[in-house]
Amino acid sequence: MTFRNEGRGPALTRRQAYEARLRRRSNTIAALSTLAVVVAIVLLVPLAPRWEAVKKSFFNWDVFARTFPGLLEAFLLDVAIFAWSAPLIFGLGLVIALMRDVRSPALYPLRLFGIVYTDVFRGVPVILVIYLVGFGIPGLGLPRPWNSPYIWGTVALVLTYAAYVAEVFRTGIESIHQSQRAAASSLGLSEGDTMRYVILPQAIRRVVPANMNLFIALQKDVALLSFIGPVEIFRQAGVYKSLLANFTPYVGAALIFLAITIPATRYADYLLARQMKARN
Amino acid sequence: MVWLQAKGLRKSFGTNVVLDGIDLSIDRGEMVCLIGASGSGKSTLLRCLNLLEPLDDGEIRLDSVDIAEPGLDPAPVRRRIGMVFQSYNLFPHMTAAENVLLAPRRVKRMTRETLLPEVTELFRRFGLEDRMDHYPDQLSGGQQQRVAIVRALAMKPEMMLFDEITSALDPELVGEVLDVLRQLRAEGMTMVLATHEMGFARELADKICFLDRGRILEEAPPEVLFSAPKEERTRAFLSRVL
């Protein structure tokens, strides 16, 4: 049996009509409860005793309009640091992952290095690595340009993130089924060729969503380099704050980060969902 | 003429004895079928023959060289012995043609251009010429398995091992894969099959080996083994599967 559908395409089956009703109902409930929460926030927050002061110092439209272009410009430096760090992280992460996979006893030091490396750099907060590398190494009295915080800040980010990326790659390598190795061996391929042509191409593809998440985190952590000198967006916002005695530039900076990270996160989620679907 | 001679093959996984002293000889151009219940050691025997699994003990003489010598580089042996698996094991990120070209290019250092004519010919011989640029997930199970056979053949092996290659296929796709085996048989390829296809084994095999608990309990030409098995356990097995 079907329900008549007032000339809107083919008539719905009973099940479809029921599900459409259910969907309308839950959409209405969701809209109403969201509206209630928004109204509550809009009405209640301004009732806080110092709301006027906070509004002036964090959500000041004039300050926002004056500082936003400068922030955007400073953000280009974040993008640049990200752009040259990312490939280095990818490369070093892959090398470390492969080091941890070597079986030959002569190469055991490499393996040990890989293990120690990932332990150390995953175990120390990024900001500490940035301080130690960013202040420590130029402190050796290196001549220009080798004392640049851009170089050593980048090195600090690369060292830290390569450890995480290496672990992701290793998970990917281990997730490739043993039968793929067996097939490659049965054809007479060497271990190196098996890794290069059979295992790695599949492993790298499989961990794209996981790596995307790491690179989104990296995009935000670039701001930490401001602590050792580069005038990127966070530091630029700080400059404006001191200049105008107003915190709105920080809100502007946050919005700029969100404009990048939210779409990137959604894209990573989409890739992951597609992969899950493909594997089932 | 005995081409491969295996003696006293033993293999355990932990406390589980999988091969318990296997003797097997294979002549050039011969087709040997291994039958037996699952867990009887058929797959492990095949995997040991091309050194995918290291043996605990025993020797395998290939042209009178012991290839089971521990520490021997297995790659040259594997080049001479092709293997096809139950679950196809094609490389999913490569097209059918790339799957087939990879090993000859990397192992024999041949160029794509020199290989392409003969590889195309192989695809054509097995009715796959219009599937060369397809990825494995765009192929049916039967087509994937035939590509896997072509991939092994492209290395020009002297012997082929088939590990229950039709067990994962839908019944209507089994025929096309068995046809490939018939074709290879007619061309005189030396073959060892682990199989549950009794009718096929009876039709084509020179020799049937019945494996039971890691041993070859009975070994005979198909007309003998299927109609007059000597061992009680062989009879019991055959009455279950026939």
Side-chain angles (χ1 to χ4, degrees), chain B residues 115-135:
Chain B
L115 285 163
L116 213 49
E118 52 181 287
V119 165
T120 310
E121 171 59 20
L122 270 177
F123 274 92
R124 203 195 50 71
R125 240 168 74 199
F126 299 111
L128 290 163
E129 65 270 35
D130 55 343
R131 293 288 180 270
M132 289 180 70
D133 296 323
H134 287 56
Y135 284 88

PDB file of all heavy atoms in Angstrom, chain B residues 115-135:
ATOM      1  N   LEU B 115      58.176  -5.906 -22.190  1.00  0.00           N
ATOM      2  CA  LEU B 115      57.259  -6.852 -21.572  1.00  0.00           C
ATOM      3  C   LEU B 115      55.853  -6.790 -22.151  1.00  0.00           C
ATOM      4  O   LEU B 115      55.155  -7.799 -22.221  1.00  0.00           O
ATOM      5  CB  LEU B 115      57.168  -6.577 -20.067  1.00  0.00           C
ATOM      6  CG  LEU B 115      58.359  -7.023 -19.236  1.00  0.00           C
ATOM      7  CD1 LEU B 115      58.322  -6.331 -17.881  1.00  0.00           C
ATOM      8  CD2 LEU B 115      58.344  -8.529 -19.051  1.00  0.00           C
ATOM      9  N   LEU B 116      55.444  -5.587 -22.537  1.00  0.00           N
ATOM     10  CA  LEU B 116      54.037  -5.369 -22.847  1.00  0.00           C
ATOM     11  C   LEU B 116      53.466  -6.342 -23.890  1.00  0.00           C
ATOM     12  O   LEU B 116      52.380  -6.886 -23.673  1.00  0.00           O
ATOM     13  CB  LEU B 116      53.806  -3.911 -23.256  1.00  0.00           C
ATOM     14  CG  LEU B 116      52.433  -3.355 -22.852  1.00  0.00           C
ATOM     15  CD1 LEU B 116      52.119  -3.640 -21.393  1.00  0.00           C
ATOM     16  CD2 LEU B 116      52.363  -1.872 -23.137  1.00  0.00           C
ATOM     17  N   PRO B 117      54.194  -6.617 -24.997  1.00  0.00           N
ATOM     18  CA  PRO B 117      53.611  -7.544 -25.985  1.00  0.00           C
ATOM     19  C   PRO B 117      53.306  -8.917 -25.379  1.00  0.00           C
ATOM     20  O   PRO B 117      52.205  -9.438 -25.549  1.00  0.00           O
ATOM     21  CB  PRO B 117      54.700  -7.643 -27.055  1.00  0.00           C
ATOM     22  CG  PRO B 117      55.518  -6.409 -26.897  1.00  0.00           C
ATOM     23  CD  PRO B 117      55.476  -6.060 -25.456  1.00  0.00           C
ATOM     24  N   GLU B 118      54.270  -9.491 -24.635  1.00  0.00           N
ATOM     25  CA  GLU B 118      54.008 -10.838 -24.124  1.00  0.00           C
ATOM     26  C   GLU B 118      52.973 -10.831 -23.011  1.00  0.00           C
ATOM     27  O   GLU B 118      52.174 -11.769 -22.886  1.00  0.00           O
ATOM     28  CB  GLU B 118      55.308 -11.519 -23.656  1.00  0.00           C
ATOM     29  CG  GLU B 118      56.141 -10.713 -22.682  1.00  0.00           C
ATOM     30  CD  GLU B 118      57.416 -11.460 -22.298  1.00  0.00           C
ATOM     31  OE1 GLU B 118      57.288 -12.429 -21.540  1.00  0.00           O
ATOM     32  OE2 GLU B 118      58.515 -11.071 -22.759  1.00  0.00           O
ATOM     33  N   VAL B 119      52.947  -9.744 -22.199  1.00  0.00           N
ATOM     34  CA  VAL B 119      51.935  -9.668 -21.155  1.00  0.00           C
ATOM     35  C   VAL B 119      50.545  -9.522 -21.764  1.00  0.00           C
ATOM     36  O   VAL B 119      49.589 -10.177 -21.346  1.00  0.00           O
ATOM     37  CB  VAL B 119      52.248  -8.499 -20.190  1.00  0.00           C
ATOM     38  CG1 VAL B 119      51.048  -8.162 -19.324  1.00  0.00           C
ATOM     39  CG2 VAL B 119      53.440  -8.861 -19.312  1.00  0.00           C
ATOM     40  N   THR B 120      50.451  -8.690 -22.802  1.00  0.00           N
ATOM     41  CA  THR B 120      49.169  -8.540 -23.501  1.00  0.00           C
ATOM     42  C   THR B 120      48.713  -9.891 -24.043  1.00  0.00           C
ATOM     43  O   THR B 120      47.533 -10.251 -23.953  1.00  0.00           O
ATOM     44  CB  THR B 120      49.307  -7.530 -24.656  1.00  0.00           C
ATOM     45  OG1 THR B 120      49.927  -6.353 -24.144  1.00  0.00           O
ATOM     46  CG2 THR B 120      47.959  -7.168 -25.236  1.00  0.00           C
ATOM     47  N   GLU B 121      49.665 -10.637 -24.575  1.00  0.00           N
ATOM     48  CA  GLU B 121      49.359 -11.961 -25.108  1.00  0.00           C
ATOM     49  C   GLU B 121      48.822 -12.884 -24.008  1.00  0.00           C
ATOM     50  O   GLU B 121      47.857 -13.620 -24.201  1.00  0.00           O
ATOM     51  CB  GLU B 121      50.624 -12.549 -25.765  1.00  0.00           C
ATOM     52  CG  GLU B 121      50.532 -14.000 -26.176  1.00  0.00           C
ATOM     53  CD  GLU B 121      49.400 -14.270 -27.167  1.00  0.00           C
ATOM     54  OE1 GLU B 121      48.942 -13.321 -27.821  1.00  0.00           O
ATOM     55  OE2 GLU B 121      48.962 -15.442 -27.247  1.00  0.00           O
ATOM     56  N   LEU B 122      49.441 -12.814 -22.806  1.00  0.00           N
ATOM     57  CA  LEU B 122      48.967 -13.624 -21.676  1.00  0.00           C
ATOM     58  C   LEU B 122      47.522 -13.265 -21.316  1.00  0.00           C
ATOM     59  O   LEU B 122      46.675 -14.143 -21.122  1.00  0.00           O
ATOM     60  CB  LEU B 122      49.846 -13.382 -20.443  1.00  0.00           C
ATOM     61  CG  LEU B 122      51.071 -14.268 -20.243  1.00  0.00           C
ATOM     62  CD1 LEU B 122      51.855 -13.828 -19.018  1.00  0.00           C
ATOM     63  CD2 LEU B 122      50.660 -15.735 -20.106  1.00  0.00           C
ATOM     64  N   PHE B 123      47.248 -11.961 -21.226  1.00  0.00           N
ATOM     65  CA  PHE B 123      45.892 -11.516 -20.913  1.00  0.00           C
ATOM     66  C   PHE B 123      44.912 -12.034 -21.971  1.00  0.00           C
ATOM     67  O   PHE B 123      43.809 -12.456 -21.655  1.00  0.00           O
ATOM     68  CB  PHE B 123      45.823  -9.989 -20.855  1.00  0.00           C
ATOM     69  CG  PHE B 123      46.186  -9.414 -19.497  1.00  0.00           C
ATOM     70  CD1 PHE B 123      47.481  -9.044 -19.201  1.00  0.00           C
ATOM     71  CD2 PHE B 123      45.212  -9.250 -18.525  1.00  0.00           C
ATOM     72  CE1 PHE B 123      47.811  -8.518 -17.963  1.00  0.00           C
ATOM     73  CE2 PHE B 123      45.529  -8.727 -17.282  1.00  0.00           C
ATOM     74  CZ  PHE B 123      46.836  -8.370 -16.998  1.00  0.00           C
ATOM     75  N   ARG B 124      45.356 -11.979 -23.223  1.00  0.00           N
ATOM     76  CA  ARG B 124      44.484 -12.405 -24.310  1.00  0.00           C
ATOM     77  C   ARG B 124      44.180 -13.898 -24.226  1.00  0.00           C
ATOM     78  O   ARG B 124      43.061 -14.332 -24.392  1.00  0.00           O
ATOM     79  CB  ARG B 124      45.151 -12.071 -25.660  1.00  0.00           C
ATOM     80  CG  ARG B 124      44.182 -11.928 -26.834  1.00  0.00           C
ATOM     81  CD  ARG B 124      44.913 -11.966 -28.163  1.00  0.00           C
ATOM     82  NE  ARG B 124      45.819 -13.102 -28.277  1.00  0.00           N
ATOM     83  CZ  ARG B 124      45.427 -14.379 -28.411  1.00  0.00           C
ATOM     84  NH1 ARG B 124      44.150 -14.672 -28.470  1.00  0.00           N
ATOM     85  NH2 ARG B 124      46.321 -15.351 -28.488  1.00  0.00           N
ATOM     86  N   ARG B 125      45.237 -14.652 -23.892  1.00  0.00           N
ATOM     87  CA  ARG B 125      45.076 -16.103 -23.821  1.00  0.00           C
ATOM     88  C   ARG B 125      44.025 -16.511 -22.803  1.00  0.00           C
ATOM     89  O   ARG B 125      43.350 -17.515 -22.945  1.00  0.00           O
ATOM     90  CB  ARG B 125      46.415 -16.735 -23.426  1.00  0.00           C
ATOM     91  CG  ARG B 125      46.944 -17.691 -24.457  1.00  0.00           C
ATOM     92  CD  ARG B 125      48.364 -18.055 -24.157  1.00  0.00           C
ATOM     93  NE  ARG B 125      48.520 -18.956 -23.035  1.00  0.00           N
ATOM     94  CZ  ARG B 125      49.669 -19.127 -22.376  1.00  0.00           C
ATOM     95  NH1 ARG B 125      50.731 -18.451 -22.729  1.00  0.00           N
ATOM     96  NH2 ARG B 125      49.741 -19.973 -21.384  1.00  0.00           N
ATOM     97  N   PHE B 126      43.905 -15.715 -21.729  1.00  0.00           N
ATOM     98  CA  PHE B 126      42.948 -16.077 -20.688  1.00  0.00           C
ATOM     99  C   PHE B 126      41.710 -15.191 -20.724  1.00  0.00           C
ATOM    100  O   PHE B 126      41.013 -15.030 -19.720  1.00  0.00           O
ATOM    101  CB  PHE B 126      43.629 -16.057 -19.320  1.00  0.00           C
ATOM    102  CG  PHE B 126      44.752 -17.046 -19.238  1.00  0.00           C
ATOM    103  CD1 PHE B 126      46.072 -16.629 -19.170  1.00  0.00           C
ATOM    104  CD2 PHE B 126      44.484 -18.401 -19.271  1.00  0.00           C
ATOM    105  CE1 PHE B 126      47.105 -17.549 -19.126  1.00  0.00           C
ATOM    106  CE2 PHE B 126      45.520 -19.331 -19.231  1.00  0.00           C
ATOM    107  CZ  PHE B 126      46.837 -18.902 -19.156  1.00  0.00           C
ATOM    108  N   GLY B 127      41.462 -14.585 -21.898  1.00  0.00           N
ATOM    109  CA  GLY B 127      40.226 -13.831 -22.091  1.00  0.00           C
ATOM    110  C   GLY B 127      40.113 -12.586 -21.243  1.00  0.00           C
ATOM    111  O   GLY B 127      39.025 -12.218 -20.801  1.00  0.00           O
ATOM    112  N   LEU B 128      41.250 -11.930 -20.974  1.00  0.00           N
ATOM    113  CA  LEU B 128      41.220 -10.769 -20.081  1.00  0.00           C
ATOM    114  C   LEU B 128      41.735  -9.507 -20.758  1.00  0.00           C
ATOM    115  O   LEU B 128      42.001  -8.515 -20.083  1.00  0.00           O
ATOM    116  CB  LEU B 128      42.086 -11.062 -18.850  1.00  0.00           C
ATOM    117  CG  LEU B 128      41.570 -12.103 -17.869  1.00  0.00           C
ATOM    118  CD1 LEU B 128      42.700 -12.576 -16.973  1.00  0.00           C
ATOM    119  CD2 LEU B 128      40.437 -11.556 -17.031  1.00  0.00           C
ATOM    120  N   GLU B 129      41.865  -9.534 -22.100  1.00  0.00           N
ATOM    121  CA  GLU B 129      42.543  -8.414 -22.757  1.00  0.00           C
ATOM    122  C   GLU B 129      41.829  -7.084 -22.548  1.00  0.00           C
ATOM    123  O   GLU B 129      42.456  -6.036 -22.551  1.00  0.00           O
ATOM    124  CB  GLU B 129      42.766  -8.694 -24.251  1.00  0.00           C
ATOM    125  CG  GLU B 129      41.505  -8.827 -25.082  1.00  0.00           C
ATOM    126  CD  GLU B 129      41.007 -10.263 -25.134  1.00  0.00           C
ATOM    127  OE1 GLU B 129      41.149 -10.987 -24.124  1.00  0.00           O
ATOM    128  OE2 GLU B 129      40.460 -10.672 -26.178  1.00  0.00           O
ATOM    129  N   ASP B 130      40.505  -7.126 -22.322  1.00  0.00           N
ATOM    130  CA  ASP B 130      39.801  -5.851 -22.107  1.00  0.00           C
ATOM    131  C   ASP B 130      39.750  -5.485 -20.619  1.00  0.00           C
ATOM    132  O   ASP B 130      39.047  -4.580 -20.220  1.00  0.00           O
ATOM    133  CB  ASP B 130      38.381  -5.934 -22.674  1.00  0.00           C
ATOM    134  CG  ASP B 130      37.606  -7.107 -22.107  1.00  0.00           C
ATOM    135  OD1 ASP B 130      38.255  -8.024 -21.547  1.00  0.00           O
ATOM    136  OD2 ASP B 130      36.369  -7.121 -22.206  1.00  0.00           O
ATOM    137  N   ARG B 131      40.496  -6.191 -19.777  1.00  0.00           N
ATOM    138  CA  ARG B 131      40.488  -5.905 -18.342  1.00  0.00           C
ATOM    139  C   ARG B 131      41.847  -5.402 -17.848  1.00  0.00           C
ATOM    140  O   ARG B 131      42.047  -5.208 -16.665  1.00  0.00           O
ATOM    141  CB  ARG B 131      40.118  -7.173 -17.550  1.00  0.00           C
ATOM    142  CG  ARG B 131      38.689  -7.634 -17.757  1.00  0.00           C
ATOM    143  CD  ARG B 131      37.736  -6.688 -17.068  1.00  0.00           C
ATOM    144  NE  ARG B 131      36.347  -7.073 -17.227  1.00  0.00           N
ATOM    145  CZ  ARG B 131      35.575  -6.670 -18.233  1.00  0.00           C
ATOM    146  NH1 ARG B 131      36.075  -5.888 -19.167  1.00  0.00           N
ATOM    147  NH2 ARG B 131      34.308  -7.035 -18.310  1.00  0.00           N
ATOM    148  N   MET B 132      42.781  -5.205 -18.774  1.00  0.00           N
ATOM    149  CA  MET B 132      44.152  -4.879 -18.366  1.00  0.00           C
ATOM    150  C   MET B 132      44.246  -3.598 -17.556  1.00  0.00           C
ATOM    151  O   MET B 132      45.073  -3.470 -16.661  1.00  0.00           O
ATOM    152  CB  MET B 132      45.058  -4.776 -19.596  1.00  0.00           C
ATOM    153  CG  MET B 132      45.335  -6.125 -20.228  1.00  0.00           C
ATOM    154  SD  MET B 132      46.402  -5.997 -21.673  1.00  0.00           S
ATOM    155  CE  MET B 132      47.967  -5.545 -20.933  1.00  0.00           C
ATOM    156  N   ASP B 133      43.392  -2.614 -17.887  1.00  0.00           N
ATOM    157  CA  ASP B 133      43.487  -1.321 -17.204  1.00  0.00           C
ATOM    158  C   ASP B 133      42.487  -1.186 -16.067  1.00  0.00           C
ATOM    159  O   ASP B 133      42.278  -0.095 -15.540  1.00  0.00           O
ATOM    160  CB  ASP B 133      43.309  -0.184 -18.219  1.00  0.00           C
ATOM    161  CG  ASP B 133      44.444  -0.186 -19.234  1.00  0.00           C
ATOM    162  OD1 ASP B 133      45.582  -0.490 -18.823  1.00  0.00           O
ATOM    163  OD2 ASP B 133      44.196   0.073 -20.426  1.00  0.00           O
ATOM    164  N   HIS B 134      41.852  -2.292 -15.688  1.00  0.00           N
ATOM    165  CA  HIS B 134      40.920  -2.256 -14.563  1.00  0.00           C
ATOM    166  C   HIS B 134      41.664  -2.477 -13.256  1.00  0.00           C
ATOM    167  O   HIS B 134      42.660  -3.196 -13.210  1.00  0.00           O
ATOM    168  CB  HIS B 134      39.850  -3.335 -14.716  1.00  0.00           C
ATOM    169  CG  HIS B 134      38.849  -3.037 -15.782  1.00  0.00           C
ATOM    170  ND1 HIS B 134      39.199  -2.795 -17.084  1.00  0.00           N
ATOM    171  CD2 HIS B 134      37.496  -2.940 -15.734  1.00  0.00           C
ATOM    172  CE1 HIS B 134      38.104  -2.557 -17.796  1.00  0.00           C
ATOM    173  NE2 HIS B 134      37.059  -2.646 -16.991  1.00  0.00           N
ATOM    174  N   TYR B 135      41.140  -1.856 -12.188  1.00  0.00           N
ATOM    175  CA  TYR B 135      41.677  -2.125 -10.862  1.00  0.00           C
ATOM    176  C   TYR B 135      40.990  -3.361 -10.302  1.00  0.00           C
ATOM    177  O   TYR B 135      39.861  -3.687 -10.697  1.00  0.00           O
ATOM    178  CB  TYR B 135      41.447  -0.916  -9.946  1.00  0.00           C
ATOM    179  CG  TYR B 135      42.411   0.205 -10.240  1.00  0.00           C
ATOM    180  CD1 TYR B 135      42.125   1.163 -11.200  1.00  0.00           C
ATOM    181  CD2 TYR B 135      43.643   0.256  -9.596  1.00  0.00           C
ATOM    182  CE1 TYR B 135      43.026   2.167 -11.499  1.00  0.00           C
ATOM    183  CE2 TYR B 135      44.550   1.259  -9.893  1.00  0.00           C
ATOM    184  CZ  TYR B 135      44.236   2.212 -10.841  1.00  0.00           C
ATOM    185  OH  TYR B 135      45.144   3.189 -11.133  1.00  0.00           O
TER     186      TYR B 135
END
